[in-house]
């Protein structure tokens, strides 16, 4: 293996013998460049994707106190042009062209940047085996042939010579602002910030880290600060090669990768900066022993106990806090959760330690409460302390840690690859921590040793004088008198009353505890049989085999032939039309599912922590049970789940708890982010039958525990069984597992003509519909539009390929136009969209601008793109095709991704296992003319035959209108970008400044711009018109809203008679509208199922 070559060339040390999973065929090498930048190179011979990630050891904890969010703003701005590639979108264009993308995030102590791109599928993998010879021979791997080189070079420049292009500053700050606004109504952000705000003010944890236009633009400018200079200063103060960790993963040899990295990244300046540390408590005496009552946006109730803890970064061999989180967070018999669940007080519990930064940490116990639990939160807190007392009463238990060691060791040994970008980004972050380099992969995963002293030490942090409490609920019997500064969360904070503290101390110290609390039993689910019979095959099979296909049972099976892990996935589908008859029935099924899962929690917990899980859910077409993980004890868990599904005894008290949970979840649904809701509304216009949230809620109170008990056996009495057994399972085992299902459930046969058929509505040619829906959340300022165009039948492979290619071609330009230039909002998606048989194209925007305006901007974009497509060079067209083909042929990364693919095709009734290959072959044949014709017919706004329907979710609150000065600044910034895009240099800056400065009302801003373009720049009329049009769009005052006001649709009218592509029609009565639609043919197997039957037994 390559790692034996611990050579040292030019005095450079190379570490290659990293501890790794058994099946990991990647080769690793760690080097340090002369500028102290540490690099991990990963060679994966057959990978179809390459990735690189760079993590800088500076994050929001280093924000200047008077410019919160500056680290995050720098993350956004760093990517705005470099000396070598000055065009601001050069990087993203390059990545899109190679089927890739980039992303970045800012954490407390680090900022992480990464990208991923695809190798062309026609180029054969460079070397198939990782032999020492192969990596020693200098394979001819030219820079020109590999897309990775170009990606690395563009990426590297951001750390060598970023430009922070002036024109992009304002726009990126708006992107940051929009990101912050998107988070404002989200409870996880709100509660996290509240915890931070109530921490030690001297600790940077206390600050606000996202930033907003106000903190990064308005306020500093008001203080006379030149903001761009501040961003550049932040960068030059904190960014340094010795604080960076780079990971590069590709199919090139380690030597080639090393050469490339050296050539590019050795130029990153090194300033020998020290490592960041904050040696001060996150919570001091002042903040500890307080209780905070806080109000969430959504209905939820919880109790959090937070202990000041230590940073555990150096203790990675024993991970002492995992002993505590294992016991406190246990869900089996004897645990805190089992006890408080039995009392009807809780739905869930989590416990764990976290390192905030070098120097401090927290340990948190977080409990999801029921209504009763909320009333008894003091008792719950006392029970937690009783359990802590129980843990501290006895020395750390070696057998418990041994179980944890075994589980973590097995999980790591059979860990499967994660996708390149996740691998690269994750490892770059891990490299910032003090792991022995040989344990870079294993360190975070494995517990290596039992260290009683370190565990005892860890336990000393869990004391009644070292914690704070947070109670979250929509309602309290007293007023919440304070508001958190950044998110406006209402709360009240006070010292924990002395009498409660005394009770907690008593609970902690007393030896008399409820008998229900005890240590867990020995875990019987830890796998011991881990053999995999490896039979090399030339080509892994792309389809499962049908090994039984009789009256009421179908079994699909594939023994794994490429991933070689001792794991399996077993999917069981009980098909019936019964589960979706009415809203009430659908709700009964959901109750059934929740009650089964609730009853299994304690039992399944040991299995779950041993890498074996199950899932039981209801669908519109039946029920499904999935068991997946290490196959050794899979049948044990499956049997238990089947019995519970069959024999559920609905307990009145559990029903009450679940009823309450479902009520909250249904009510909360309409308060989710608009872009999470919009898909459901769109789908109701595609499905023949759909049950909406608002129809479920009123049924809730009409359902009793007895109703559920009486109803569910009816589903099981008659249904079809279909099974997929996949992974480390022999055919015999697949047959036996199915026997178990049949024997347990004993369903009557469901005749084929009673099986549910998947169909969709066909939008008539020439449709132009709008459905408007006011959003429920009165505080939300974001509108959301989903603009959908119908193209035809999903299983028409030519239409599907055209949609995929259209999605690929519009991805970057759509984002660039609607988000980057027009600043409509942080959430902009575009791409193909598929339902059961429905296929089409959609654009989704969440924005403070109203939906009719957004609709106009989308149509404007489609018009622009129509031109782009017409003028596209053959070369660009081919490269888009190539990128899409590569995406479709991307290799499956692990066993479960293959199971998910198979199951999707079985569950969807199409059995179209070879779809990816068919798509690639169909794409290959598409010509530019095909796409132009397709666009003109189905997508173009001037087509009289296209079918369009858009859903407009309307916000109830209005966003703050920008001031005139803000609009002026925005106008100047936008104009510069637009002019550059039109290859017209924005000189004569003074003239522009003067004209804009003289504007006295927002209405005349565009007139001033028009005069500037015509009189100062003397642009030709047609160019000037275009520039003006785009400038107006960027200012949010573009003329195009809807081409015409929508007319209402008379319920009695025949839809066909009112369709007119040029005139939108408003859907007011959804039911009547649906009734007037035609329905498509249903999904059928793409091939005769007999063809999948295994013909010759070859075992
Ligand atoms: Zn961001």
């Amino acid at each position: 293996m390559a790692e034996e070559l611990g050579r040292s060339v030019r005095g450079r040390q190379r570490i290659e013998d990293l501890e790794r999973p058994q099946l990991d065929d990647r080769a690793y090498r760690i080097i340090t460049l002369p500028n102290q930048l540490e690099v991990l190179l990963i060679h994966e011979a057959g990978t179809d994707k390459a990735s690189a990630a760079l993590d800088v050891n500076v994050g929001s904890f280093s924000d200047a106190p008077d410019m919160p969010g500056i680290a995050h703003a720098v993350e956004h701005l760093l990517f705005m042009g470099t000396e070598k590639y000055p065009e601001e979108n050069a990087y993203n264009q390059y990545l899109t062209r190679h089927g890739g993308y980039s992303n970045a995030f800012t954490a407390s102590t680090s900022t992480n940047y990464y990208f991923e791109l695809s190798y062309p599928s026609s180029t054969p993998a460079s070397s198939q085996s990782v032999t020492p010879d192969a990596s020693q021979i200098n394979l001819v791997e030219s820079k020109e042939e590999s897309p990775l080189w170009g990606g690395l070079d563009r990426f590297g420049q951001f750390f060598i010579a970023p430009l922070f292009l002036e024109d992009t500053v304002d726009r990126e700050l708006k992107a940051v602002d929009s990101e912050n606004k998107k988070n404002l109504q989200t409870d996880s952000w709100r509660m996290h910030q509240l915890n931070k705000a109530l921490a030690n003010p001297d600790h940077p944890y206390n600050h606000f880290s996202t930033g907003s236009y106000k903190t990064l633009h308005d306020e500093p400018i008001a203080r006379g600060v030149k903001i761009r200079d501040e961003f550049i200063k932040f960068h030059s103060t904190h960014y340094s090669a010795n604080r960076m960790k780079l990971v590069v993963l590709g199919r090139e040899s380690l030597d080639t990768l090393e050469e490339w990295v050296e050539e590019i990244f050795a130029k990153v300046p090194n300033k020998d900066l020290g490592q960041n540390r904050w040696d001060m408590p996150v919570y001091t005496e002042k903040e500890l022993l307080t209780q905070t009552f806080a109000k969430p946006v959504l209905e939820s109730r919880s109790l959090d106990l937070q202990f000041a803890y230590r940073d555990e970064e150096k203790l990675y061999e024993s991970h002492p806090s995992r002993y505590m989180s294992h016991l406190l967070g246990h869900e089996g018999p004897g645990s805190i959760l089992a006890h408080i669940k039995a009392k009807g007080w809780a739905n869930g519990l989590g416990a764990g330690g976290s390192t905030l930064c070098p120097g401090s940490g927290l340990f948190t116990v977080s409990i999801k409460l029921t209504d009763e639990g909320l009333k008894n939160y003091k008792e719950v807190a006392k029970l937690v302390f009783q359990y802590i007392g129980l843990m501290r009463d006895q020395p750390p238990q070696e057998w418990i840690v041994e179980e944890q060691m075994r589980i973590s060791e097995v999980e790591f040994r059979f860990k499967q690859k994660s996708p390149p970008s996740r691998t690269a980004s994750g490892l770059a972050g891990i490299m910032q921590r003090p792991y022995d380099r040989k344990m870079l992969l294993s360190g975070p995963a494995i517990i290596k040793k039992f260290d009683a002293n370190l565990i005892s030490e860890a336990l000393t942090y869990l004391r009644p004088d070292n914690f704070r409490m947070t109670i979250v609920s929509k309602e309290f019997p007293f007023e919440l008198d304070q508001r958190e500064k950044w998110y406006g969360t209402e709360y009240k904070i006070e010292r924990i009353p002395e009498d409660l503290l005394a009770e907690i101390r008593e609970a902690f110290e007393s030896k008399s505890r409820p008998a229900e609390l005890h240590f867990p039993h020995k875990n019987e689910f830890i796998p011991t049989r881990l053999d995999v019979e490896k039979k090399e095959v030339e080509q892994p099979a792309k389809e499962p085999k049908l090994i039984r296909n009789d009256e009421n049972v179908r079994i699909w099976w594939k023994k794994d032939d490429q991933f070689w892990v001792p794991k399996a996935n077993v999917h069981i589908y009980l098909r019936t039309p019964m589960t979706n008859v009415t809203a009430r029935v659908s709700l009964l099924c959901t109750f059934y599912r929740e009650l089964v899962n609730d009853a299994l929690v304690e039992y399944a917990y040991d299995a779950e922590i041993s890498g074996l899980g199950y899932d039981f859910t209801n669908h519109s077409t039946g029920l499904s049970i999935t068991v997946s993980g290490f196959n050794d004890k899979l049948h044990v868990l499956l049997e238990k789940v089947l019995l519970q599904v069959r024999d559920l005894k609905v307990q009145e008290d559990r029903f009450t708890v679940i009823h309450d949970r479902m009520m909250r979840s249904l009510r909360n649904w309409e308060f989710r982010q608009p872009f999470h809701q919009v898909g459901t509304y769109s789908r109701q216009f595609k499905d023949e039958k759909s049950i909406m949230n608002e129809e479920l809620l009123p049924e809730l109170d009409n359902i009793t525990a007895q109703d559920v008990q009486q109803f569910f056996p009816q589903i099981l009495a008659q249904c079809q069984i279909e099974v997929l057994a996949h992974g480390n399972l022999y055919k015999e085992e697949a047959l036996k597992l199915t026997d178990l299902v049949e024997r347990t459930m004993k369903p009557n046969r469901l005749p084929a003509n009673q099986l549910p058929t998947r169909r969709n509505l066909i939008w008539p040619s020439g449709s132009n519909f709008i459905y408007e829906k006011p959003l429920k959340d009165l505080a939300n300022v974001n509108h959301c539009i989903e603009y959908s165009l119908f193209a035809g039948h999903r299983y028409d492979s030519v239409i599907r390929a055209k949609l995929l290619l259209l999605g690929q071609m519009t991805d970057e330009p759509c984002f660039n136009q609607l988000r980057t230039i027009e600043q409509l909002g942080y959430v902009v998606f575009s791409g193909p969209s598929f339902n059961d048989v429905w296929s089409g194209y959609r654009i989704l925007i969440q924005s403070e601008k109203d939906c009719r305006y957004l609709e106009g901007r989308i149509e404007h974009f489609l018009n622009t793109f129509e031109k782009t497509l017409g003028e596209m060079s053959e070369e660009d067209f081919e490269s888009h095709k190539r990128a899409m083909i590569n995406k479709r042929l991307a290799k499956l990364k692990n066993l479960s991704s293959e199971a998910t693919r198979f199951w999707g095709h079985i569950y969807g009734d199409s059995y179209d296992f070879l779809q990816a290959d068919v798509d690639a072959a169909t794409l290959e044949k598409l010509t530019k003319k095909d796409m132009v014709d397709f666009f003109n017919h189905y997508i173009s706004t001037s087509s009289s035959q296209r079918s369009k329907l858009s859903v407009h979710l309307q916000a109830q609150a209005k966003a703050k209108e920008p001031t005139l000065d803000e609009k002026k600044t925005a106008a100047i910034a936008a104009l510069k970008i637009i002019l550059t895009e039109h290859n017209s240099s924005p000189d004569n800056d003074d003239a522009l400044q003067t004209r804009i400065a003289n504007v006295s009302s927002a209405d005349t801003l565009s007139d001033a711009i028009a005069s500037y373009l015509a009189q100062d720049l003397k642009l030709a009329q047609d160019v000037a018109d275009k520039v003006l049009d785009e400038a107006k769009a960027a200012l949010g005052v573009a003329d195009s809203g809807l081409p015409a006001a929508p007319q209402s649709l008379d319920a009695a009218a025949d839809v066909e008679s009112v369709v007119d592509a040029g005139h939108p029609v408003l859907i007011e009565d959804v039911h009547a509208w649906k009734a007037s639609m035609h329905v498509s043919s249903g999904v059928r197997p793409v091939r005769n199922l007999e063809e999948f039957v295994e013909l010759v037994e070859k075992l």
Side-chain angles (χ1 to χ4, degrees), residues 72 75-76 179 826:
H72 180 208
E75 173 228 297
H76 276 246
E179 198 178 331
Y826 190 75

Side-chain angles (χ1 to χ4, degrees), residues 42 296 502 584 659 785 875:
I42 308 175
R584 177 181 161 83
H659 186 280
I785 181 172
E875 192 194 345

Side-chain angles (χ1 to χ4, degrees), residues 709-877:
Q709 185 76 61
Q710 283 167 354
F711 173 72
F712 80 79
Q714 303 306 317
I715 311 177
L716 304 178
Q718 192 183 27
C719 54
Q720 189 208 44
I721 298 175
E722 186 145 7
V723 173
L724 168 69
H726 172 257
N728 191 34
L729 289 175
Y730 288 99
K731 187 172 161 185
E732 283 312 308
E733 293 171 282
L735 293 166
K736 259 204 206 144
L737 288 169
T738 310
D739 280 347
L740 178 68
V741 178
E742 242 185 316
R743 242 189 6 251
T744 313
M745 297 303 179
K746 294 196 192 74
N748 286 316
R749 185 173 91 91
L750 185 67
N753 63 1
Q754 292 178 36
L755 288 169
T757 303
R758 297 176 187 274
R759 300 172 189 274
N760 289 115
L761 301 178
I762 300 173
W763 298 354
S765 166
S767 300
N768 186 352
F769 293 111
I770 293 177
Y771 174 69
E772 295 182 332
K773 173 97 189 164
L775 286 158
K776 202 145 189 185
D777 184 355
L778 298 178
N780 162 63
V781 297
N782 285 313
H783 305 266
C784 185
I785 181 172
E786 185 163 59
Y787 181 101
S788 306
L789 293 163
F790 174 64
H793 204 284
R794 179 186 183 172
Y795 293 95
D796 177 330
S797 56
V798 176
I799 288 185
R800 198 170 60 232
K802 287 176 180 170
L803 285 168
L804 290 171
L805 186 54
L806 178 67
Q808 160 71 26
M809 293 193 297
T810 54
D811 184 50
E812 199 270 340
C814 180
F815 192 82
N816 189 48
Q817 180 64 33
L818 299 177
R819 184 178 145 179
T820 311
I821 295 181
E822 300 197 16
Q823 304 268 328
L824 292 175
Y826 190 75
V827 182
V828 173
F829 294 134
S830 66
S833 160
F834 301 105
N835 238 39
D836 290 329
V837 296
W838 193 98
S839 76
Y841 176 79
R842 61 126 188 204
I843 296 181
L844 181 159
I845 308 173
Q846 176 169 306
S847 170
E848 291 176 10
K849 297 266 179 239
D850 73 61
C851 293
R852 292 189 179 188
Y853 181 78
L854 298 175
E855 175 123 2
R857 297 322 298 160
I858 289 173
E859 305 218 315
H860 177 261
F861 164 72
L862 293 176
N863 294 340
T864 319
F865 182 76
E866 188 167 345
K867 214 164 152 247
T868 311
L869 178 62
E871 291 163 0
M872 190 179 283
S873 70
E874 278 305 319
E875 192 194 345
D876 283 356
F877 179 77

Side-chain angles (χ1 to χ4, degrees), residues 166-178:
E166 173 114 52
D167 297 341
T168 65
V169 170
D170 195 65
R171 204 184 62 209
E172 283 308 312
L173 294 182
K174 286 203 172 125
V176 167
D177 193 59
S178 167

